[in-house]
Amino acid sequence: MNLLLVVAECCPAWTVRSSHSRWSKLPTAMLLCLALFCSEVLSEVQSGPCKTPVDFEVPVGVSTTRCCRRRKSRTFGGAPTTSGVRAASYARFSSDMQRDESIADQQRKCREKAKTNGHTILRELEFSDEAISGTKRQRDGLNAMLAAAEAGEIDVLYFHSLSRLSRESVITLPLLKQLVYNCGVRVVSTSEGIDSNDTAWELIAHIMSIVHEQYLRDLAENVLRGQEGTVLAGFSVGDHYFGYSSQPIPESKQGRRGRNSKPRKMYIIDLSTAAWVARIFHWFVRERQSLRWIARELNRLGAPKDHRSTTKTWRHQYLPRLLRNRKYVGWWSWGEKKNVRDPLTGKIRQKDRAPGECDKWLRHLPHLQLIDDQTFAESQRLLELNEKTRGNSRKRKGQFRGSKTGSRHPSHLLSQLIRCGECECTFHVGGTGGKYLFCPGYAAGTCSCRTQLRRDRAERMIIDEIGRRILVDPSWRSQVLEETVKAWKAQEATIPTELSAARRNLADVEKKIVNLVDRIEGGRGGPELDERLAQRRVEKRTLTDRIQRLEHADLDRRPQPTESWVNDQLGNLGGMLVERTPAAAYALRSLVGGAIVVTEVRRPGCKRHFLQGRFTINCNSVVRQLVGATDGSQAPSKPAPRDDCEEIVIDFREPLQIESLSEKVKELYDQGMMMALIAERLGCSRSRATAALKFWFESRDLVMPDGRTRRGELKQKHIEPPLYQRISEQVIELFRVDTLLQDIADTLKVDRNTVTAAIRWWHEQRGIPVPDGRTRRKELQQKTSSKPNQPSAEAQAGASEDTSPSNTDEVA
């Protein structure tokens, strides 16, 4: 059925002829619907025989004679004038292959048509979009034009053809009706005979929008047919993967027609990226490295990515698709997915084709094989084993079962709180049972922070440090009390004022709602009034809720906070943090300022490192928790002064054995205890105690004192008293009865030097001067020993019994 013949039958005075090929491509059902629609519209327009000829413009390729009926002029927004009319234009071209001059040509045609109508298009009202498909609804130039039309800045809009607005009828027709009926804009097409001042403009707009939509479908079918022929001929259609490329076939451009004809291309192996493909398979199959390790190594070595990639870094999620690609063993598939476009928004998504539909496009290209069949088969087995091992913890699409996308409450106490100081990434939960937190940047190879943070240890240490500040420190308690009293006074002065203001605003909004309802009931309603009424009702609900909260806070006002009340509330806050509930997570996040920044501390000579966290707490954050938790209102949120903040540094690690030992050794060392006795008391060797003391001084960049010098200053220099100390009492008893030193030594069966040391030590311990040996000898009645086998008097005189300090046998 020919649409043009139907239109001619509806209005016999029209003589329509067309050689345009698009009309013949319309389906029969569509032609029938259009014919019925045309007959209804023309029956209203034509009420009698055609006598008075008028011009009627139709699309290119369709010409008419003059119609006998004079059409009624139809205007919107006032009578048409040729002076003071604000005219605008819109132009667009679709792809980068088109000329930029296309915009200028369309705008020139629009200016010529406007000049014919007595209008002038200003430069600032010439809107355009370059290299954007007409199937997309969101376009910068189109949105700017619609915004200007809604603001009343446009009276007439010119465009070259309806396809410039859109090639989807579900987009084109709503746009036209919004411009004409809601914005009062006259729309004029320079090439299709569309003018909203004409009665039948909607008929032509419906027909042409369907024609443009059909053109888009025909274009898609033609492109698919051409690509299919290229694939079956063995040429490249741009589907080469990582490790491959394409190069033009010489002299193949001569056999192709078109304005932008290009030579045929064939697949080739890209040596620079193919080496990385072989390395990835070797790491995964031969060395059995994990996917995360491979991604980290690729990023560390700066490996390139596929030409279609939008990011420079490798992710482990990308590697399974690479390892499963059959192109590396010579089997090239094509067309497994097809593009499906949303006609309302123009967004494109991919949808799988039926497996049998793609088999005809499968090609075997053994000269492009990069990986041998055995290695590829082993990689598939390892991938399946990996999926089977981790399948219980993942959903069908690979998402972790424990993941809660868009979760409202924190899943643990440190949720979204730990941040890497190097790459600024938020730590993720990982490890067995989710016991650890790790930096995702290290898994991607963009961060060197490898050490993981144990969650329970971090939670315990953070809570202990905060509790030590706010619960133990008396200066903090007094400062919190002072700030809490200030916040309470501010609330006492603010709540009545806010409550009265909210009640006045509610009364004003209720009055406006009554006025709007009266206007709607009087028949003066419309879309704008309905929208305004909905907004006022939302304002009323918001104000009502606010008044209820303020009234509750006003009735539940507590007396001025006291020191005991603050102490109780601080205790409750500490108890809440220990419970590790979502409320505790929010409270902790507020106390530490929203983030705890951790950095990896590397120790020379150690394989395992630790993380050090830094955060600040201030008095205002504590007050917000106290006042907000009790009164249901918010404490003043002004930033705290610098002297009100305290930085807390935590080493997230258990202290080493030598560290704890060094503290004990240093404590006994300061008490003046000798090292051997310290080692005996702590149950370790003397060398271990010395090493712990050395570690204590070196960890604080201090120099360890000399041991010999210190030993000389100690009162106790031995663990067990030496012989001269044990016999000191017996020596003194004999010494007091004027016994010669040699006789004392013989009596006690010790050396004479031991007797001298005992006398000197006994007197020094009591702070008594040591007696002089010569003076004592002169006072003795018996100056020679009475025991046999003693030296003669002359020998004794030679070895004078001198107890002077210079004599080695007596005490000085």
Side-chain angles (χ1 to χ4, degrees):
M1 185 178 185
N2 195 327
L3 173 64
L4 301 180
L5 296 179
V6 175
V7 176
E9 291 178 0
C10 295
C11 186
W14 288 3
T15 303
V16 185
R17 63 180 183 274
S18 174
S19 60
H20 203 292
S21 60
R22 297 179 189 172
W23 296 94
S24 60
K25 293 182 179 180
L26 293 177
T28 304
M30 185 182 297
L31 292 172
L32 179 59
C33 294
L34 287 175
L36 296 176
F37 179 76
C38 294
S39 63
E40 293 182 2
V41 174
L42 291 176
S43 63
E44 297 180 1
V45 176
Q46 182 180 1
S47 60
C50 298
K51 296 181 180 179
T52 307
V54 294
D55 292 332
F56 182 78
E57 296 179 335
V58 294
V60 178
V62 180
S63 62
T64 68
T65 60
R66 299 178 181 269
C67 180
C68 302
R69 178 170 178 80
R70 187 185 306 275
R71 294 168 296 171
K72 184 187 297 184
S73 177
R74 188 175 184 183
T75 61
F76 299 92
T81 60
T82 58
S83 60
V85 175
R86 293 162 296 184
S89 67
Y90 177 77
R92 180 190 61 81
F93 69 86
S94 299
S95 65
D96 295 331
M97 302 301 297
Q98 294 177 300
R99 298 179 298 110
D100 294 341
E101 291 80 3
S102 174
I103 295 291
D105 294 339
Q106 295 177 42
Q107 292 176 346
R108 176 174 53 81
K109 290 293 185 181
C110 292
R111 287 194 293 268
E112 291 176 357
K113 183 65 175 179
K115 185 177 180 180
T116 303
N117 295 337
H119 301 155
T120 302
I121 302 177
L122 301 178
R123 288 291 182 184
E124 58 269 18
L125 293 180
E126 289 184 336
F127 304 95
S128 62
D129 286 305
E130 299 180 1
I132 298 181
S133 173
T135 61
K136 295 182 178 180
R137 172 59 182 84
Q138 298 299 328
R139 287 170 266 162
D140 293 339
L142 181 64
N143 293 336
M145 182 269 292
L146 291 176
E150 292 176 354
E153 300 175 1
I154 299 176
D155 296 325
V156 184
L157 176 66
Y158 291 90
F159 45 84
H160 181 260
S161 68
L162 204 59
S163 62
R164 301 305 89 195
L165 289 179
S166 176
R167 286 194 178 273
E168 288 283 358
S169 60
V170 293
I171 299 178
T172 305
L173 298 177
L175 282 177
L176 289 176
K177 292 186 178 183
Q178 180 182 1
L179 289 169
V180 174
Y181 294 110
N182 294 341
C183 301
V185 177
R186 176 186 175 189
V187 294
V188 178
S189 173
T190 63
S191 62
E192 295 172 331
I194 299 177
D195 189 340
S196 60
N197 276 0
D198 296 333
T199 307
W201 74 273
E202 289 188 71
L203 169 63
I204 305 175
H206 278 80
I207 295 175
M208 295 312 302
S209 62
I210 295 176
V211 171
H212 296 316
E213 186 174 345
Q214 184 63 30
Y215 166 78
L216 194 64
R217 295 173 181 172
D218 293 342
L219 180 62
E221 293 179 0
N222 294 334
V223 171
L224 177 62
R225 185 182 66 251
Q227 288 184 338
E228 183 180 6
T230 303
V231 168
L232 295 178
F235 298 115
S236 171
V237 288
D239 61 332
H240 53 85
Y241 203 63
F242 181 71
Y244 300 98
S245 183
S246 61
Q247 68 178 11
I249 300 176
E251 300 181 359
S252 62
K253 183 178 180 180
Q254 300 176 0
R256 306 190 69 183
R257 295 181 299 174
R259 183 179 62 188
N260 296 312
S261 59
K262 294 182 179 180
R264 298 286 188 184
K265 292 185 178 182
M266 61 180 181
Y267 300 109
I268 61 171
I269 297 177
D270 185 10
L271 299 179
S272 60
T273 56
W276 289 102
V277 174
R279 188 176 298 184
I280 291 172
F281 274 89
H282 177 77
W283 284 337
F284 185 69
V285 177
R286 304 303 177 191
E287 298 185 6
R288 300 297 176 90
Q289 299 289 354
S290 66
L291 298 179
R292 289 183 180 273
W293 184 93
I294 296 175
R296 248 187 342 261
E297 193 69 9
L298 291 173
N299 289 324
R300 187 183 67 84
L301 299 176
K305 292 191 69 178
D306 188 70
H307 67 285
R308 291 182 294 261
S309 179
T310 57
T311 59
K312 295 182 180 180
T313 57
W314 287 78
R315 301 285 182 180
H316 68 278
Q317 296 90 342
Y318 175 76
L319 293 174
R321 296 196 298 268
L322 185 147
L323 293 169
R324 286 193 177 95
N325 199 322
R326 298 179 63 195
K327 293 181 179 179
Y328 295 130
V329 290
W331 289 98
W332 287 64
S333 59
W334 184 79
E336 294 178 347
K337 294 182 179 294
K338 61 180 178 179
N339 292 335
V340 178
R341 186 180 66 255
D342 186 349
L344 299 178
T345 61
K347 294 183 179 180
I348 296 177
R349 59 182 178 88
Q350 287 192 331
K351 182 179 179 181
D352 293 332
R353 279 194 173 96
E357 186 180 357
C358 306
D359 292 343
K360 58 182 178 181
W361 298 321
L362 183 63
R363 296 153 292 169
H364 187 212
L365 306 176
H367 64 283
L368 298 177
Q369 185 172 357
L370 294 178
I371 306 299
D372 60 274
D373 296 339
Q374 183 179 359
T375 302
F376 187 80
E378 181 65 15
S379 67
Q380 306 311 301
R381 188 188 69 81
L382 293 177
L383 288 174
E384 292 177 0
L385 181 62
N386 191 16
E387 287 185 354
K388 184 178 180 180
T389 304
R390 304 182 181 273
N392 296 330
S393 60
R394 293 182 181 269
K395 297 181 181 179
R396 182 174 57 87
K397 295 185 177 181
Q399 184 183 14
F400 282 108
R401 295 185 182 276
S403 302
K404 297 181 180 179
T405 305
S407 179
R408 183 178 179 182
H409 298 296
S411 57
H412 56 90
L413 187 62
L414 303 181
S415 177
Q416 301 295 319
L417 193 61
I418 306 299
R419 187 177 303 167
C420 180
E422 180 179 351
C423 65
E424 298 184 356
C425 291
T426 303
F427 272 40
H428 292 179
V429 176
T432 305
K435 296 180 180 179
Y436 293 87
L437 297 172
F438 68 93
C439 177
Y442 176 76
T446 58
C447 182
S448 62
C449 183
R450 180 180 181 180
T451 305
Q452 297 184 1
L453 179 63
R454 188 174 176 90
R455 280 174 49 194
D456 55 354
R457 179 188 303 166
E459 292 174 357
R460 172 174 50 82
M461 299 180 73
I462 291 172
I463 293 175
D464 290 345
E465 287 295 329
I466 294 178
R468 189 175 297 114
R469 279 1 183 243
I470 66 177
L471 298 178
V472 179
D473 192 351
S475 60
W476 260 91
R477 285 178 174 269
S478 60
Q479 194 172 7
V480 168
L481 175 61
E482 180 181 354
E483 295 296 330
T484 304
V485 172
K486 291 181 180 179
W488 177 83
K489 292 181 179 179
Q491 287 183 354
E492 288 293 311
T494 303
I495 290 178
T497 304
E498 292 184 354
L499 182 58
S500 59
R503 287 171 177 171
R504 289 195 301 269
N505 293 336
L506 179 60
D508 187 23
V509 170
E510 290 177 346
K511 184 177 179 180
K512 292 179 179 179
I513 291 176
V514 172
N515 294 336
L516 290 173
V517 172
D518 292 340
R519 294 189 63 181
I520 294 174
E521 290 180 350
R524 292 174 293 174
E528 294 182 356
L529 291 180
D530 294 340
E531 183 179 359
R532 185 70 60 83
L533 180 60
Q535 293 176 357
R536 295 303 182 190
R537 287 174 175 170
V538 172
E539 293 179 6
K540 180 180 178 180
R541 288 195 297 269
T542 304
L543 288 172
T544 302
D545 295 340
R546 178 172 177 77
I547 290 174
Q548 290 178 355
R549 290 195 302 270
L550 291 173
E551 288 177 346
H552 177 73
D554 187 48
L555 294 175
D556 196 28
R557 282 192 288 179
R558 288 176 170 81
Q560 181 173 341
T562 61
E563 183 176 0
S564 60
W565 181 87
V566 170
N567 293 337
D568 293 340
Q569 296 304 316
L570 288 176
N572 295 336
L573 177 59
M576 181 179 64
L577 293 177
V578 174
E579 292 178 358
R580 292 172 171 80
T581 59
Y586 288 126
L588 179 62
R589 190 175 302 176
S590 176
L591 288 175
V592 303
I596 298 176
V597 180
V598 297
T599 55
E600 188 177 46
V601 179
R602 297 179 176 272
R603 294 174 291 181
C606 298
K607 295 183 179 180
R608 301 184 66 178
H609 311 297
F610 66 93
L611 295 174
Q612 185 181 79
R614 293 178 179 270
F615 60 92
T616 58
I617 61 173
N618 57 71
C619 192
N620 279 345
S621 62
V622 178
V623 172
R624 279 196 297 270
Q625 292 300 318
L626 299 184
V627 180
T630 55
D631 294 340
S633 56
Q634 295 296 329
S637 58
K638 62 180 181 180
R642 288 186 177 272
D643 56 355
D644 194 22
C645 298
E646 180 178 356
E647 184 180 27
I648 298 178
V649 180
I650 302 177
D651 292 338
F652 293 113
R653 63 185 177 93
E654 295 294 345
L656 300 176
Q657 184 179 4
I658 193 171
E659 291 183 8
S660 58
L661 181 63
S662 66
E663 295 293 339
K664 299 177 182 179
V665 171
K666 183 62 170 58
E667 182 180 357
L668 298 176
Y669 180 87
D670 293 338
Q671 295 177 6
M673 195 176 292
M674 59 189 222
M675 294 302 301
L677 190 59
I678 293 174
E680 181 182 359
R681 178 171 295 186
L682 297 179
C684 63
S685 63
R686 182 174 177 178
S687 60
R688 179 68 174 172
T690 305
L693 183 64
K694 184 179 180 181
F695 174 84
W696 191 95
F697 282 98
E698 290 181 351
S699 62
R700 292 161 176 79
D701 295 331
L702 300 176
V703 179
M704 183 176 174
D706 181 64
R708 293 183 179 90
T709 303
R710 176 180 180 271
R711 183 181 178 84
E713 299 174 353
L714 295 178
K715 294 182 179 180
Q716 182 181 357
K717 298 180 175 60
H718 303 88
I719 298 178
E720 295 182 359
L723 179 62
Y724 71 89
Q725 293 181 9
R726 295 198 302 267
I727 66 175
S728 61
E729 293 294 338
Q730 301 176 16
V731 170
I732 291 301
E733 291 179 1
L734 297 174
F735 184 80
R736 287 175 177 174
V737 295
D738 297 337
T739 306
L740 295 175
L741 297 183
Q742 184 61 46
D743 293 342
I744 296 174
D746 294 339
T747 302
L748 300 178
K749 298 180 181 181
V750 295
D751 187 73
R752 183 174 177 176
N753 294 330
T754 304
V755 175
T756 305
I759 296 172
R760 183 173 60 250
W761 181 84
W762 189 90
H763 286 82
E764 288 178 352
Q765 289 297 313
R766 289 160 178 79
I768 304 174
V770 181
D772 181 62
R774 292 187 180 89
T775 304
R776 178 177 181 272
R777 182 178 177 82
K778 292 178 180 180
E779 297 176 353
L780 293 177
Q781 296 180 359
Q782 181 181 355
K783 295 181 174 55
T784 59
S785 175
S786 61
K787 296 183 179 182
N789 299 330
Q790 293 296 327
S792 61
E794 292 78 10
Q796 291 183 13
S800 172
E801 188 179 347
D802 187 5
T803 59
S804 64
S806 60
N807 195 325
T808 58
D809 294 337
E810 281 290 354
V811 180

